[in-house]
Amino acid sequence: MPAVIHPSAVVERGAQIAEDCKIGPFCHVGPEVVLGRGVELKSHVVVTGATEIGDETMVFPFAVIGEIPQDLKFKGEETRLVIGKRNRIREHVTMNCGTDGGGGLTKVGDDGLFMAGCHVAHDAQVGDRVILVNNSALAGHCVIEDDVIVGGLSGVHQWVRIGRGAIIGAVTMVTNDVIPYGLVQAPRGKLDGLNLVGLKRRGVSRSDITALRAAFQMLAQGEGAFADRAKRLGNETQSDYVREIVDFILGDSDRHFLTPG
């Protein structure tokens, strides 16, 4: 089925529009844009820059996708934004292309929900099934792993990593890395437990949840520095979920961690 493009939309020469796309009234699609099969731009959507949007993604009115970074160091270099499949990008969302200094690529995975007014900055790497609630913002160079939820009106500082399955409460400022499955809340971001609701929804076994609880207590109250506790935990655990937390903590990062307590 050929693409359906409203007469008032502007699709510049060079744009690649796949079959089954729908481009609504007053949209603007730039010359380097690639839209996958079944992409729908509702109305008044701007997609520009070297931007690729995956199959069956829906973009709602007044979203601006692929504009240049909000970074004064950006000098017009060629960078990209790649968005995966089946995302829902709601009203007034902004997603920027990358920068040379950050690898040149902003990347968003599949099956995400980006609620009204949220922002994905340059060079961010966002995983699958991520939810950014209304007016939350990811700064440049963030890494957001799969199945993360960021609450409304929350901000994530540049270069921060948030591990898989973590949840950030509303109105929270996150300035340090968050372990997988962590629960962070309070205005200045305190690691306050585990995302137990999310773990149960994903069908994680009772034995793994028990292991994760014990691991959290060891990280919170064990002897020695935080990294030393993580190393001991890695030597003792039999749980793949706990191992994931250990590997995350001991991985390469320039930022400190939010620690329990």
Side-chain angles (χ1 to χ4, degrees):
M1 178 179 175
V4 177
I5 302 174
H6 193 276
S8 65
V10 175
V11 179
E12 297 195 35
R13 182 176 298 176
Q16 299 179 44
I17 311 299
E19 295 180 355
D20 300 328
C21 286
K22 296 180 181 179
I23 300 177
F26 304 105
C27 292
H28 180 203
V29 179
E32 299 178 273
V33 170
V34 178
L35 302 183
R37 291 177 60 93
V39 169
E40 181 174 357
L41 311 181
K42 287 283 196 178
S43 73
H44 299 84
V45 172
V46 174
V47 186
T48 188
T51 297
E52 179 179 335
I53 300 181
D55 298 352
E56 300 179 41
T57 289
M58 184 177 294
V59 187
F60 286 73
F62 304 104
V64 180
I65 309 299
E67 264 293 1
I68 65 171
Q70 298 178 85
D71 183 340
L72 293 175
K73 298 187 296 298
F74 182 76
K75 302 302 180 184
E77 56 267 26
E78 291 294 324
T79 60
R80 297 190 300 143
L81 167 64
V82 176
I83 299 171
K85 300 177 180 179
R86 298 177 301 277
N87 288 287
R88 294 294 177 266
I89 300 173
R90 296 303 305 246
E91 298 82 356
H92 298 280
V93 168
T94 54
M95 296 183 177
N96 294 156
C97 288
T99 64
D100 253 0
L105 174 65
T106 305
K107 187 173 182 180
V108 174
D110 300 335
D111 299 300
L113 172 59
F114 301 88
M115 296 189 190
C118 68
H119 175 63
V120 178
H122 59 86
D123 307 298
Q125 305 294 303
V126 180
D128 298 337
R129 299 174 301 279
V130 168
I131 298 174
L132 299 187
V133 181
N134 304 72
N135 297 299
S136 57
L138 306 181
H141 315 283
C142 290
V143 176
I144 311 298
E145 295 187 353
D146 297 346
D147 302 303
V148 167
I149 299 174
V150 179
L153 296 166
S154 294
V156 181
H157 195 280
Q158 63 183 0
W159 300 104
V160 160
R161 297 182 303 151
I162 299 182
R164 183 163 75 106
I167 185 168
I168 310 301
V171 199
T172 297
M173 182 63 206
V174 183
T175 56
N176 290 308
D177 290 356
V178 179
I179 61 172
Y181 315 110
L183 165 64
V184 174
Q185 55 189 355
R188 294 303 296 181
K190 176 182 175 183
L191 184 61
D192 207 27
L194 296 170
N195 183 13
L196 295 174
V197 172
L199 290 166
K200 291 173 182 175
R201 284 176 177 170
R202 283 192 291 277
V204 175
S205 70
R206 183 182 296 273
S207 62
D208 277 314
I209 290 176
T210 299
L212 283 166
R213 286 186 176 205
F216 186 87
Q217 287 302 113
M218 181 174 177
L219 290 171
Q221 300 176 359
E223 296 181 359
F226 187 67
D228 293 334
R229 288 177 244 165
K231 289 176 183 176
R232 288 201 306 274
L233 188 59
N235 292 332
E236 297 171 5
T237 188
Q238 301 297 316
S239 169
D240 290 340
Y241 288 89
V242 176
R243 169 58 60 187
E244 185 176 350
I245 292 176
V246 171
D247 290 345
F248 186 90
I249 293 170
L250 300 180
D252 184 22
S253 175
D254 293 331
R255 301 201 67 80
H256 296 295
F257 285 87
L258 292 177
T259 54

PDB file of all heavy atoms in Angstrom, residues 215-239:
ATOM      1  N   ALA A 215      20.976  -9.211  48.040  1.00  0.00           N
ATOM      2  CA  ALA A 215      22.076  -8.467  47.438  1.00  0.00           C
ATOM      3  C   ALA A 215      21.974  -6.981  47.766  1.00  0.00           C
ATOM      4  O   ALA A 215      22.980  -6.325  48.074  1.00  0.00           O
ATOM      5  CB  ALA A 215      22.071  -8.676  45.921  1.00  0.00           C
ATOM      6  N   PHE A 216      20.762  -6.447  47.702  1.00  0.00           N
ATOM      7  CA  PHE A 216      20.576  -5.037  48.023  1.00  0.00           C
ATOM      8  C   PHE A 216      20.990  -4.755  49.464  1.00  0.00           C
ATOM      9  O   PHE A 216      21.657  -3.753  49.749  1.00  0.00           O
ATOM     10  CB  PHE A 216      19.116  -4.638  47.794  1.00  0.00           C
ATOM     11  CG  PHE A 216      18.868  -3.158  47.976  1.00  0.00           C
ATOM     12  CD1 PHE A 216      19.053  -2.288  46.914  1.00  0.00           C
ATOM     13  CD2 PHE A 216      18.468  -2.647  49.201  1.00  0.00           C
ATOM     14  CE1 PHE A 216      18.842  -0.927  47.075  1.00  0.00           C
ATOM     15  CE2 PHE A 216      18.249  -1.290  49.368  1.00  0.00           C
ATOM     16  CZ  PHE A 216      18.436  -0.424  48.293  1.00  0.00           C
ATOM     17  N   GLN A 217      20.605  -5.637  50.390  1.00  0.00           N
ATOM     18  CA  GLN A 217      20.979  -5.442  51.788  1.00  0.00           C
ATOM     19  C   GLN A 217      22.491  -5.494  51.962  1.00  0.00           C
ATOM     20  O   GLN A 217      23.067  -4.706  52.725  1.00  0.00           O
ATOM     21  CB  GLN A 217      20.324  -6.516  52.662  1.00  0.00           C
ATOM     22  CG  GLN A 217      18.833  -6.321  52.854  1.00  0.00           C
ATOM     23  CD  GLN A 217      18.525  -4.966  53.485  1.00  0.00           C
ATOM     24  OE1 GLN A 217      17.922  -4.091  52.849  1.00  0.00           O
ATOM     25  NE2 GLN A 217      18.941  -4.787  54.730  1.00  0.00           N
ATOM     26  N   MET A 218      23.157  -6.390  51.252  1.00  0.00           N
ATOM     27  CA  MET A 218      24.615  -6.475  51.350  1.00  0.00           C
ATOM     28  C   MET A 218      25.263  -5.203  50.800  1.00  0.00           C
ATOM     29  O   MET A 218      26.208  -4.669  51.385  1.00  0.00           O
ATOM     30  CB  MET A 218      25.128  -7.693  50.589  1.00  0.00           C
ATOM     31  CG  MET A 218      26.635  -7.859  50.663  1.00  0.00           C
ATOM     32  SD  MET A 218      27.167  -9.412  49.903  1.00  0.00           S
ATOM     33  CE  MET A 218      28.955  -9.239  50.074  1.00  0.00           C
ATOM     34  N   LEU A 219      24.739  -4.704  49.676  1.00  0.00           N
ATOM     35  CA  LEU A 219      25.285  -3.471  49.126  1.00  0.00           C
ATOM     36  C   LEU A 219      25.040  -2.282  50.046  1.00  0.00           C
ATOM     37  O   LEU A 219      25.859  -1.364  50.130  1.00  0.00           O
ATOM     38  CB  LEU A 219      24.669  -3.197  47.757  1.00  0.00           C
ATOM     39  CG  LEU A 219      25.082  -4.138  46.624  1.00  0.00           C
ATOM     40  CD1 LEU A 219      24.234  -3.883  45.382  1.00  0.00           C
ATOM     41  CD2 LEU A 219      26.562  -3.979  46.286  1.00  0.00           C
ATOM     42  N   ALA A 220      23.914  -2.323  50.752  1.00  0.00           N
ATOM     43  CA  ALA A 220      23.558  -1.205  51.622  1.00  0.00           C
ATOM     44  C   ALA A 220      24.314  -1.227  52.945  1.00  0.00           C
ATOM     45  O   ALA A 220      24.700  -0.176  53.474  1.00  0.00           O
ATOM     46  CB  ALA A 220      22.048  -1.221  51.895  1.00  0.00           C
ATOM     47  N   GLN A 221      24.546  -2.428  53.505  1.00  0.00           N
ATOM     48  CA  GLN A 221      25.014  -2.507  54.889  1.00  0.00           C
ATOM     49  C   GLN A 221      26.289  -3.329  55.075  1.00  0.00           C
ATOM     50  O   GLN A 221      26.777  -3.457  56.191  1.00  0.00           O
ATOM     51  CB  GLN A 221      23.901  -3.100  55.755  1.00  0.00           C
ATOM     52  CG  GLN A 221      22.630  -2.261  55.732  1.00  0.00           C
ATOM     53  CD  GLN A 221      21.496  -2.919  56.512  1.00  0.00           C
ATOM     54  OE1 GLN A 221      21.640  -4.001  57.061  1.00  0.00           O
ATOM     55  NE2 GLN A 221      20.358  -2.239  56.554  1.00  0.00           N
ATOM     56  N   GLY A 222      26.824  -3.875  53.988  1.00  0.00           N
ATOM     57  CA  GLY A 222      28.017  -4.695  54.125  1.00  0.00           C
ATOM     58  C   GLY A 222      29.248  -3.875  54.464  1.00  0.00           C
ATOM     59  O   GLY A 222      29.254  -2.643  54.415  1.00  0.00           O
ATOM     60  N   GLU A 223      30.316  -4.567  54.788  1.00  0.00           N
ATOM     61  CA  GLU A 223      31.570  -3.911  55.160  1.00  0.00           C
ATOM     62  C   GLU A 223      32.349  -3.504  53.912  1.00  0.00           C
ATOM     63  O   GLU A 223      32.245  -4.117  52.863  1.00  0.00           O
ATOM     64  CB  GLU A 223      32.416  -4.851  56.015  1.00  0.00           C
ATOM     65  CG  GLU A 223      31.785  -5.199  57.357  1.00  0.00           C
ATOM     66  CD  GLU A 223      32.674  -6.109  58.170  1.00  0.00           C
ATOM     67  OE1 GLU A 223      33.766  -6.472  57.679  1.00  0.00           O
ATOM     68  OE2 GLU A 223      32.294  -6.448  59.303  1.00  0.00           O
ATOM     69  N   GLY A 224      33.173  -2.466  54.064  1.00  0.00           N
ATOM     70  CA  GLY A 224      34.045  -2.031  52.982  1.00  0.00           C
ATOM     71  C   GLY A 224      33.387  -1.055  52.036  1.00  0.00           C
ATOM     72  O   GLY A 224      32.222  -0.678  52.198  1.00  0.00           O
ATOM     73  N   ALA A 225      34.167  -0.636  51.037  1.00  0.00           N
ATOM     74  CA  ALA A 225      33.665   0.298  50.044  1.00  0.00           C
ATOM     75  C   ALA A 225      32.602  -0.367  49.167  1.00  0.00           C
ATOM     76  O   ALA A 225      32.515  -1.586  49.086  1.00  0.00           O
ATOM     77  CB  ALA A 225      34.820   0.799  49.171  1.00  0.00           C
ATOM     78  N   PHE A 226      31.811   0.466  48.498  1.00  0.00           N
ATOM     79  CA  PHE A 226      30.703  -0.033  47.690  1.00  0.00           C
ATOM     80  C   PHE A 226      31.195  -1.008  46.625  1.00  0.00           C
ATOM     81  O   PHE A 226      30.625  -2.091  46.434  1.00  0.00           O
ATOM     82  CB  PHE A 226      29.983   1.156  47.049  1.00  0.00           C
ATOM     83  CG  PHE A 226      28.726   0.799  46.314  1.00  0.00           C
ATOM     84  CD1 PHE A 226      27.609   0.319  46.986  1.00  0.00           C
ATOM     85  CD2 PHE A 226      28.640   0.953  44.935  1.00  0.00           C
ATOM     86  CE1 PHE A 226      26.437   0.001  46.310  1.00  0.00           C
ATOM     87  CE2 PHE A 226      27.486   0.643  44.251  1.00  0.00           C
ATOM     88  CZ  PHE A 226      26.383   0.166  44.950  1.00  0.00           C
ATOM     89  N   ALA A 227      32.276  -0.670  45.930  1.00  0.00           N
ATOM     90  CA  ALA A 227      32.795  -1.552  44.887  1.00  0.00           C
ATOM     91  C   ALA A 227      33.299  -2.865  45.473  1.00  0.00           C
ATOM     92  O   ALA A 227      33.146  -3.935  44.861  1.00  0.00           O
ATOM     93  CB  ALA A 227      33.918  -0.851  44.119  1.00  0.00           C
ATOM     94  N   ASP A 228      33.881  -2.816  46.672  1.00  0.00           N
ATOM     95  CA  ASP A 228      34.366  -4.036  47.321  1.00  0.00           C
ATOM     96  C   ASP A 228      33.202  -4.955  47.678  1.00  0.00           C
ATOM     97  O   ASP A 228      33.285  -6.179  47.528  1.00  0.00           O
ATOM     98  CB  ASP A 228      35.161  -3.694  48.581  1.00  0.00           C
ATOM     99  CG  ASP A 228      36.461  -2.968  48.250  1.00  0.00           C
ATOM    100  OD1 ASP A 228      36.972  -3.162  47.134  1.00  0.00           O
ATOM    101  OD2 ASP A 228      36.940  -2.200  49.111  1.00  0.00           O
ATOM    102  N   ARG A 229      32.110  -4.369  48.143  1.00  0.00           N
ATOM    103  CA  ARG A 229      30.917  -5.162  48.450  1.00  0.00           C
ATOM    104  C   ARG A 229      30.383  -5.832  47.193  1.00  0.00           C
ATOM    105  O   ARG A 229      29.960  -6.989  47.212  1.00  0.00           O
ATOM    106  CB  ARG A 229      29.837  -4.277  49.060  1.00  0.00           C
ATOM    107  CG  ARG A 229      30.120  -3.815  50.480  1.00  0.00           C
ATOM    108  CD  ARG A 229      29.022  -2.883  50.964  1.00  0.00           C
ATOM    109  NE  ARG A 229      29.564  -1.554  51.208  1.00  0.00           N
ATOM    110  CZ  ARG A 229      28.837  -0.457  51.363  1.00  0.00           C
ATOM    111  NH1 ARG A 229      27.522  -0.534  51.261  1.00  0.00           N
ATOM    112  NH2 ARG A 229      29.403   0.688  51.611  1.00  0.00           N
ATOM    113  N   ALA A 230      30.401  -5.085  46.086  1.00  0.00           N
ATOM    114  CA  ALA A 230      29.922  -5.652  44.820  1.00  0.00           C
ATOM    115  C   ALA A 230      30.807  -6.822  44.383  1.00  0.00           C
ATOM    116  O   ALA A 230      30.300  -7.850  43.911  1.00  0.00           O
ATOM    117  CB  ALA A 230      29.895  -4.574  43.747  1.00  0.00           C
ATOM    118  N   LYS A 231      32.113  -6.699  44.537  1.00  0.00           N
ATOM    119  CA  LYS A 231      33.020  -7.794  44.157  1.00  0.00           C
ATOM    120  C   LYS A 231      32.745  -9.041  44.986  1.00  0.00           C
ATOM    121  O   LYS A 231      32.706 -10.157  44.460  1.00  0.00           O
ATOM    122  CB  LYS A 231      34.466  -7.348  44.327  1.00  0.00           C
ATOM    123  CG  LYS A 231      34.918  -6.321  43.301  1.00  0.00           C
ATOM    124  CD  LYS A 231      36.337  -5.862  43.588  1.00  0.00           C
ATOM    125  CE  LYS A 231      36.763  -4.766  42.598  1.00  0.00           C
ATOM    126  NZ  LYS A 231      38.112  -4.243  42.916  1.00  0.00           N
ATOM    127  N   ARG A 232      32.559  -8.870  46.299  1.00  0.00           N
ATOM    128  CA  ARG A 232      32.246 -10.022  47.155  1.00  0.00           C
ATOM    129  C   ARG A 232      30.928 -10.655  46.740  1.00  0.00           C
ATOM    130  O   ARG A 232      30.790 -11.883  46.703  1.00  0.00           O
ATOM    131  CB  ARG A 232      32.189  -9.600  48.622  1.00  0.00           C
ATOM    132  CG  ARG A 232      33.530  -9.273  49.236  1.00  0.00           C
ATOM    133  CD  ARG A 232      33.486  -9.368  50.757  1.00  0.00           C
ATOM    134  NE  ARG A 232      32.428  -8.547  51.331  1.00  0.00           N
ATOM    135  CZ  ARG A 232      32.580  -7.258  51.627  1.00  0.00           C
ATOM    136  NH1 ARG A 232      33.735  -6.648  51.393  1.00  0.00           N
ATOM    137  NH2 ARG A 232      31.588  -6.578  52.148  1.00  0.00           N
ATOM    138  N   LEU A 233      29.965  -9.809  46.435  1.00  0.00           N
ATOM    139  CA  LEU A 233      28.661 -10.304  46.012  1.00  0.00           C
ATOM    140  C   LEU A 233      28.788 -11.133  44.737  1.00  0.00           C
ATOM    141  O   LEU A 233      28.174 -12.196  44.602  1.00  0.00           O
ATOM    142  CB  LEU A 233      27.733  -9.111  45.785  1.00  0.00           C
ATOM    143  CG  LEU A 233      26.262  -9.376  45.509  1.00  0.00           C
ATOM    144  CD1 LEU A 233      25.628 -10.141  46.654  1.00  0.00           C
ATOM    145  CD2 LEU A 233      25.541  -8.053  45.279  1.00  0.00           C
ATOM    146  N   GLY A 234      29.623 -10.663  43.816  1.00  0.00           N
ATOM    147  CA  GLY A 234      29.821 -11.401  42.580  1.00  0.00           C
ATOM    148  C   GLY A 234      30.446 -12.764  42.798  1.00  0.00           C
ATOM    149  O   GLY A 234      30.152 -13.725  42.075  1.00  0.00           O
ATOM    150  N   ASN A 235      31.289 -12.880  43.800  1.00  0.00           N
ATOM    151  CA  ASN A 235      31.923 -14.165  44.099  1.00  0.00           C
ATOM    152  C   ASN A 235      30.970 -15.151  44.752  1.00  0.00           C
ATOM    153  O   ASN A 235      31.182 -16.368  44.705  1.00  0.00           O
ATOM    154  CB  ASN A 235      33.133 -13.950  45.017  1.00  0.00           C
ATOM    155  CG  ASN A 235      34.261 -13.216  44.317  1.00  0.00           C
ATOM    156  OD1 ASN A 235      34.409 -13.301  43.103  1.00  0.00           O
ATOM    157  ND2 ASN A 235      35.053 -12.477  45.082  1.00  0.00           N
ATOM    158  N   GLU A 236      29.896 -14.634  45.359  1.00  0.00           N
ATOM    159  CA  GLU A 236      29.008 -15.478  46.150  1.00  0.00           C
ATOM    160  C   GLU A 236      27.701 -15.837  45.451  1.00  0.00           C
ATOM    161  O   GLU A 236      27.088 -16.855  45.758  1.00  0.00           O
ATOM    162  CB  GLU A 236      28.683 -14.775  47.475  1.00  0.00           C
ATOM    163  CG  GLU A 236      29.903 -14.545  48.367  1.00  0.00           C
ATOM    164  CD  GLU A 236      29.582 -13.660  49.563  1.00  0.00           C
ATOM    165  OE1 GLU A 236      28.377 -13.317  49.736  1.00  0.00           O
ATOM    166  OE2 GLU A 236      30.514 -13.312  50.306  1.00  0.00           O
ATOM    167  N   THR A 237      27.250 -15.012  44.533  1.00  0.00           N
ATOM    168  CA  THR A 237      25.883 -15.186  44.010  1.00  0.00           C
ATOM    169  C   THR A 237      25.777 -16.290  42.963  1.00  0.00           C
ATOM    170  O   THR A 237      26.720 -16.567  42.229  1.00  0.00           O
ATOM    171  CB  THR A 237      25.372 -13.860  43.410  1.00  0.00           C
ATOM    172  OG1 THR A 237      23.984 -14.011  43.081  1.00  0.00           O
ATOM    173  CG2 THR A 237      26.149 -13.496  42.145  1.00  0.00           C
ATOM    174  N   GLN A 238      24.599 -16.890  42.899  1.00  0.00           N
ATOM    175  CA  GLN A 238      24.250 -17.843  41.853  1.00  0.00           C
ATOM    176  C   GLN A 238      23.149 -17.290  40.940  1.00  0.00           C
ATOM    177  O   GLN A 238      22.719 -17.959  40.006  1.00  0.00           O
ATOM    178  CB  GLN A 238      23.763 -19.160  42.480  1.00  0.00           C
ATOM    179  CG  GLN A 238      24.784 -19.824  43.386  1.00  0.00           C
ATOM    180  CD  GLN A 238      26.034 -20.231  42.630  1.00  0.00           C
ATOM    181  OE1 GLN A 238      25.947 -20.779  41.540  1.00  0.00           O
ATOM    182  NE2 GLN A 238      27.197 -19.959  43.213  1.00  0.00           N
ATOM    183  N   SER A 239      22.689 -16.068  41.223  1.00  0.00           N
ATOM    184  CA  SER A 239      21.574 -15.484  40.476  1.00  0.00           C
ATOM    185  C   SER A 239      22.089 -14.655  39.305  1.00  0.00           C
ATOM    186  O   SER A 239      22.949 -13.778  39.465  1.00  0.00           O
ATOM    187  CB  SER A 239      20.737 -14.586  41.400  1.00  0.00           C
ATOM    188  OG  SER A 239      19.816 -13.814  40.643  1.00  0.00           O
TER     189      SER A 239
END
